Amino acid sequence: MRLRYSSLLRMQINENTRMVSCSRQTTAYHRYFVVVTFFLLLSTFYSFSQDLHFSQFEYNPLNLNPASTGAFDGDQRFTALHRRQWSAVSEPYTTFSLSYDRLLSAPSENGNHHNAGLLINSDKAGDGSFSTLQAMLSYSYLFAIGRDSVNFLTAGIQLGFTQRSLDFAALTFNNQYNGDAYVPNSATGENLSQTTFFYADINAGLGWMSHFDNGTFAAGISLQHINKPNQTFYDGAKEPLRMRWQLNVNPTFKAGESVTLIPAVLYMHQNTFSELTGGLEAKLSVKKNAVRNFSFGLGVYGRLRDAIIPAAAIYYNNWRVGLSYDINTSSLKRASNSKGGPEISAQYIFKKIRTKINHSTCCPIY
């Protein structure tokens, strides 16, 4: 669509380069705690968030919270996600996310251990191929609360760099119209000194995990862009990337011998924008033995004032593959025909088999 692109470009680049309100929209005690948290979030003022986001957020741990690094049952974890959005409205927005995290040391007697990870995000948006390439290193430390090894805290930090670029030649501007027609190669009236820039980024977070008879409970809070990096294509301009804080709640409950319920809630807030996503997956175990472990999951999620998200997943041994689809419910549905976008995730967890060593004392024979 040929709009007044000079003002649109500044809004998209300078204010924050992935405003969902413009581009993504145009984007026992434990049970009691979960319910209370959910309804407290519902009572908050909602707009729409900025930055990259995913519908399958609970299966994108290093994007969710730096404290999630190494917080899993295993030794190494590989995660990949792909999202494609708004193909019915404009040039599709495509996002890839790859991450790897692992334990740096074997857990101590009470479960404490150091962890590290690598996160890579790639995103391309719109006719101008507005691109983001991000690489982050993560570190976390998980330690037990008390001596029963049931409750754990984890603290994590991420450090990395982001590159943002723009195909300026692919854009058209208001000044290139003579009143009747578009004039190729005419002056744009824009003065971009660069079409690529880099900035450093810092994220940090805390997490809590608990094990109880019928399941687990996990929650976390994180703060992104702590250093408020400057992100603009214009020389001398100051447009800080606003800090984003987010709260996630991810419990699991056994609802029977073969059924597990997995609710999830994520609240994000950045500048004047906020977003609430939540839902429930029911996981059914079909076959479980020493050789083969097969389950499938069905769920539905919702992003407030934006989308309904049906989802399905297959679990096989150490693999999980999930698929979700955003059905647009915002005002953009008139243009998108309620089409949002598909998202696919894949995760593999490698777990070592640790041999238990029984120490014994040999008695001499006289």
Side-chain angles (χ1 to χ4, degrees):
M1 296 186 297
R2 289 173 175 173
L3 304 174
R4 297 182 62 88
Y5 213 103
S6 57
S7 60
L8 178 61
L9 179 65
R10 290 191 181 95
M11 176 176 65
Q12 188 179 17
I13 296 173
N14 290 343
E15 283 301 317
N16 192 350
T17 56
R18 287 307 294 265
M19 283 189 182
V20 173
S21 58
C22 297
S23 60
R24 287 297 192 188
Q25 298 302 318
T26 15
T27 155
Y29 168 80
H30 302 280
R31 292 187 179 131
Y32 175 79
F33 184 88
V34 173
V35 173
V36 170
T37 300
F38 183 80
F39 284 104
L40 282 176
L41 296 179
L42 282 177
S43 64
T44 310
F45 171 75
Y46 304 109
S47 174
F48 297 105
S49 77
Q50 302 165 298
D51 267 344
L52 299 179
H53 67 271
F54 296 89
S55 295
Q56 299 180 58
F57 57 87
E58 70 272 39
Y59 299 106
N60 195 358
L62 269 63
N63 270 310
L64 182 65
N65 189 335
S68 296
T69 305
F72 61 95
D73 183 18
D75 293 272
Q76 300 179 63
R77 177 171 57 182
F78 303 84
T79 304
L81 286 93
H82 171 57
R83 181 179 179 87
R84 182 179 174 91
Q85 194 172 9
W86 303 130
S87 57
V89 179
S90 64
E91 186 70 21
Y93 291 55
T94 56
T95 307
F96 293 90
S97 181
L98 300 172
S99 66
Y100 167 74
D101 59 327
R102 61 167 297 155
L103 278 65
L104 288 178
S105 59
S108 62
E109 288 186 5
N110 55 4
N112 299 357
H113 53 85
H114 300 268
N115 316 284
L118 172 65
L119 171 66
I120 298 176
N121 291 319
S122 175
D123 182 71
K124 184 175 291 187
D127 295 333
S129 298
F130 186 37
S131 301
T132 300
L133 181 61
Q134 184 180 54
M136 305 288 289
L137 291 174
S138 294
Y139 167 80
S140 74
Y141 182 66
L142 185 147
F143 55 97
I145 305 173
R147 299 181 179 179
D148 52 8
S149 297
V150 173
N151 295 289
F152 297 87
L153 281 178
T154 178
I157 188 170
Q158 282 180 334
L159 305 173
F161 290 90
T162 299
Q163 177 197 42
R164 282 185 167 161
S165 60
L166 179 70
D167 185 1
F168 192 74
L171 303 177
T172 59
F173 297 86
N174 189 57
N175 287 347
Q176 295 178 293
Y177 291 82
N178 62 11
D180 296 316
Y182 168 67
V183 181
N185 301 319
S186 58
T188 65
E190 299 294 328
N191 185 26
L192 285 184
S193 58
Q194 56 185 349
T195 57
T196 300
F197 65 89
F198 294 83
Y199 60 80
D201 211 353
I202 303 174
N203 308 323
L206 295 172
W208 171 40
M209 295 182 297
S210 179
H211 301 269
F212 53 98
D213 291 340
N214 293 322
T216 63
F217 179 82
I221 186 169
S222 64
L223 188 60
Q224 318 284 330
H225 318 308
I226 295 174
N227 55 323
K228 296 182 181 180
N230 189 39
Q231 40 105 50
T232 177
F233 289 93
Y234 294 93
D235 273 345
K238 294 294 182 181
E239 293 294 343
L241 181 56
R242 307 294 181 178
M243 285 194 295
R244 183 181 90 245
W245 70 270
Q246 54 192 44
L247 172 69
N248 65 283
V249 180
N250 306 86
T252 65
F253 303 107
K254 280 284 187 181
E257 186 175 345
S258 59
V259 178
T260 302
L261 299 180
I262 311 174
V265 177
L266 173 65
Y267 174 73
M268 300 192 296
H269 183 86
Q270 185 175 21
N271 199 13
T272 59
F273 299 89
S274 57
E275 178 178 285
L276 175 65
T277 306
L280 175 69
E281 177 186 333
K283 178 182 175 183
L284 176 64
S285 179
V286 177
K287 192 169 187 177
K288 187 174 184 179
N289 54 45
V291 178
R292 186 171 299 173
N293 188 345
F294 176 73
S295 305
F296 69 88
L298 292 175
V300 61
Y301 297 81
R303 187 177 301 113
L304 193 64
R305 298 179 184 175
D306 178 34
I308 297 172
I309 310 165
I314 293 175
Y315 298 80
Y316 182 75
N317 290 348
N318 295 339
W319 282 96
R320 182 193 184 276
V321 177
L323 178 66
S324 63
Y325 188 86
D326 289 22
I327 301 173
N328 183 224
T329 59
S330 71
S331 56
L332 187 63
K333 65 183 179 181
R334 297 179 182 177
S336 68
N337 293 320
S338 297
K339 297 177 182 178
E343 183 176 302
I344 186 170
S345 66
Q347 189 173 89
Y348 179 81
I349 294 177
F350 172 77
K351 186 175 183 179
K352 294 179 182 178
I353 299 176
R354 293 185 170 88
T355 303
K356 184 177 180 181
I357 301 175
N358 295 319
H359 298 279
S360 60
T361 302
C362 296
C363 297
I365 299 175
Y366 296 96

